[in-house]
Amino acid sequence: MRLTLAIAAALAIPALMPDAAQAQERPPAYTNAEACLRERAADAVAVSSGATDAAEFLLGYLCAETVGYAAAYEQNTASLLAMSDMASGMGQITAQGGGTKTGENPFDFSTMFGGLKVDPVTGALVSDPDAEGGFMNGTLKAQAAQMSALFGDRPPVFLRVLAGELVVQHRH
């Protein structure tokens, strides 16, 4: 859990950097959500009784779809990275232990997830049709769904900060 949160935080830090080069590297899931927040902030302020109300309405209703994609991108990127690192570690342990009595590694852990990747627009875990299917793809997709249910697709911190800043700007 801590590893997943640390990875997610590490992924969010570049998103907070204003450098133009960093902005080009950011996935559409993030930039689309930010654009929606900017476009709809005035609407949220106009119909809400307070700043917290407006920010929650903006994140959870007016821009729910794009914010949900950004949350999925953040969570699924962290999950895929963590699971790939785990598979890499399992391969190293097996190789160091000799694998079998003959010293061969009976399993290539690098193929566990096949061509699984995170869609940069929707944040969904998708399989590359040109890659060999990994036998753990279904497991990781199921884990992603459970994580989404557990965390309720909570918006990434940088989007909550942006929503708050936009609401304050439009209230003045």
Side-chain angles (χ1 to χ4, degrees), residues 14-111:
L16 296 173
M17 300 172 106
D19 185 342
Q22 286 290 335
Q24 292 175 354
E25 295 174 15
R26 299 181 65 233
Y30 289 168
T31 57
N32 293 344
E34 291 170 333
C36 182
L37 294 177
R38 284 184 172 82
E39 290 169 14
R40 303 299 309 267
D43 296 334
V45 169
V47 299
S48 299
S49 61
T52 302
D53 221 21
E56 290 298 326
F57 187 62
L58 182 59
L59 290 163
Y61 293 94
L62 295 179
C63 296
E65 184 175 30
T66 57
V67 169
Y69 291 161
Y73 183 86
E74 183 176 77
Q75 290 173 5
N76 289 339
T77 298
S79 292
L80 184 57
L81 180 61
M83 295 302 277
S84 294
D85 284 350
M86 180 190 70
S88 175
M90 289 168 46
Q92 290 173 2
I93 290 170
T94 302
Q96 289 171 354
T100 65
K101 292 180 183 177
T102 63
E104 295 176 8
N105 185 349
F107 185 75
D108 181 6
F109 288 96
S110 67
T111 63

